[in-house]
Amino acid sequence: MIEDHDTRLRRLRMRSWRRGTKEMDLILGPFSDGPMAGLDAGMLDLYEELLTENDQDLYPWITARIAGRSAGPDRLAPVLDVVATHAARHLSPGR
């Protein structure tokens, strides 16, 4: 069975909000509620691959990128950058 685009977005949103650690829920959940829907098919593929990674790896990769450092596998760099940029805006103090 072929999954349509809206079904895929709903499935990825569910996986983003139910990660296993609250920190990653708070980073990936809001991303999946907003900017994720604007990703093209290739970036959605990368995002789906990113969701297969362990939270214990994802958290330091994303927080390092928020701080301006490079971290994580090169193949995921484009999607890590997009998620980190959104997280930096979403989680900034005074927001």
Side-chain angles (χ1 to χ4, degrees):
M1 180 176 202
I2 296 176
E3 182 178 55
D4 67 39
H5 184 71
D6 289 337
T7 302
R8 183 181 192 192
L9 290 178
R10 284 192 303 272
R11 179 176 54 79
L12 294 176
R13 189 171 297 117
M14 179 70 73
R15 290 181 61 197
S16 298
W17 274 109
R18 290 177 173 69
R19 293 296 305 167
T21 66
K22 192 63 168 175
E23 294 84 359
M24 290 311 302
D25 290 349
L26 293 173
I27 291 171
L28 296 178
F31 178 80
S32 73
D33 286 344
M36 182 187 72
L39 298 179
D40 64 27
M43 284 291 278
L44 273 178
D45 290 343
L46 283 177
Y47 186 70
E48 191 160 4
E49 185 178 342
L50 177 132
L51 292 177
T52 67
E53 299 289 343
N54 291 319
D55 287 355
Q56 294 81 4
D57 295 324
L58 279 177
Y59 185 75
W61 296 345
I62 292 171
T63 56
R65 286 174 181 275
I66 290 170
R69 296 185 311 273
S70 180
D74 289 340
R75 74 182 186 287
L76 295 178
V79 74
L80 284 167
D81 288 339
V82 171
V83 171
T85 298
H86 180 264
R89 284 193 306 262
H90 178 75
L91 299 173
S92 66
R95 182 170 187 283

